[in-house]
Amino acid sequence: MELKTSRLKIREIVQTDLSDLMKTYNNLEVVKHLYLSPYPLTREETQEFIFQCGSEAKQKPRTNYNLGIDFDGQVIGLVQILNLDKFQETAMLGFSLSEKYWGRGITTEAVREVIRFAFQEQNLRRIDSEANVENEGSNRVLRELGFCLEGTRIGYRKMKSTGKIHDVHIYGLINLHKTSRN
């Protein structure tokens, strides 16, 4: 699967992305807000993630999309649609980007395209997302893309990279083309 924007390809993760992923996710500034990401990241952990992505891409029905943000032939981050539930028409959104590319609108551009895919091609009615309270960049992206802050969970997530516990904002986005509640 591949999605395109004016600057980006959003595509499946493949084995040749190993060095790009290691470069991006061996940065504590990137992973300190990703609750499942270890630090430092080993080659074996990265290979296991790539294998997992390949296995999930073959599932029928597919419930997880771990997609690379490809900028000029280099994977510089991820956008994820996880726990896709066709009956409930819902999924969870996650995203991350190499620190080198922060502040250029790349995350917003990639996430916007994945939201379009989720609503139009996967026919979802709702997407949920989370962001640590102090993660200003992710909170800004979610608000800019129309997500509504629905609450804050206190002491909700412990980060694997740092061991720190964080309060987490909970967001939701409704597909306005599917708003009927029967």
Side-chain angles (χ1 to χ4, degrees):
M1 189 196 90
E2 184 175 288
L3 306 171
K4 291 185 179 181
T5 69
S6 61
R7 297 186 291 175
L8 309 170
K9 279 194 257 184
I10 300 130
R11 61 168 178 80
E12 303 289 353
I13 295 294
V14 294
Q15 186 62 40
T16 54
D17 297 323
L18 184 121
S19 62
D20 290 345
L21 292 170
M22 296 236 6
K23 196 181 320 174
T24 294
Y25 295 98
N26 255 324
N27 179 340
L28 187 57
E29 287 303 306
V30 173
V31 300
K32 72 182 181 183
H33 293 298
L34 305 176
Y35 75 94
L36 291 176
S37 293
Y39 180 82
L41 179 66
T42 67
R43 183 176 188 82
E44 292 76 27
E45 289 164 330
T46 308
Q47 288 173 324
E48 178 60 32
F49 175 72
I50 292 169
F51 176 79
Q52 176 188 333
C53 291
S55 296
E56 290 173 344
K58 295 173 188 167
Q59 286 183 338
K60 302 277 188 234
R62 189 166 179 182
T63 57
N64 291 321
Y65 291 81
N66 287 291
L67 303 172
I69 301 170
D70 183 319
F71 182 70
D72 289 337
Q74 181 180 7
V75 171
I76 61 169
L78 296 169
V79 181
Q80 302 160 297
I81 293 286
L82 305 172
N83 306 322
L84 192 147
D85 184 324
K86 285 290 195 174
F87 176 75
Q88 291 295 331
E89 302 171 334
T90 60
M92 183 67 131
L93 170 78
F95 52 88
S96 52
L97 189 70
S98 170
E99 184 178 18
K100 178 180 174 182
Y101 296 92
W102 290 356
R104 298 186 193 183
I106 289 171
T107 302
T108 303
E109 184 177 329
V111 172
R112 180 178 284 119
E113 179 59 19
V114 170
I115 290 169
R116 184 209 58 76
F117 165 77
F119 282 164
Q120 293 179 9
E121 297 181 39
Q122 295 298 310
N123 205 28
L124 298 184
R125 67 176 175 81
R126 180 184 171 91
I127 299 172
D128 295 311
S129 194
E130 300 175 350
N132 288 354
V133 169
E134 65 278 8
N135 185 344
E136 294 174 17
S138 291
N139 283 285
R140 184 174 44 255
V141 167
L142 292 168
R143 286 190 310 269
E144 184 177 325
L145 292 172
F147 280 79
C148 294
L149 177 61
E150 296 179 341
T152 303
R153 298 189 87 173
I154 306 304
Y156 186 57
R157 291 271 189 225
K158 185 174 184 177
M159 302 300 121
K160 194 171 190 177
S161 61
T162 64
K164 293 181 181 178
I165 297 171
H166 295 266
D167 299 343
V168 176
H169 285 323
I170 307 298
Y171 290 91
L173 181 65
I174 301 295
N175 184 348
L176 297 177
H177 299 289
K178 293 189 66 134
T179 56
S180 65
R181 296 182 193 173
N182 296 332

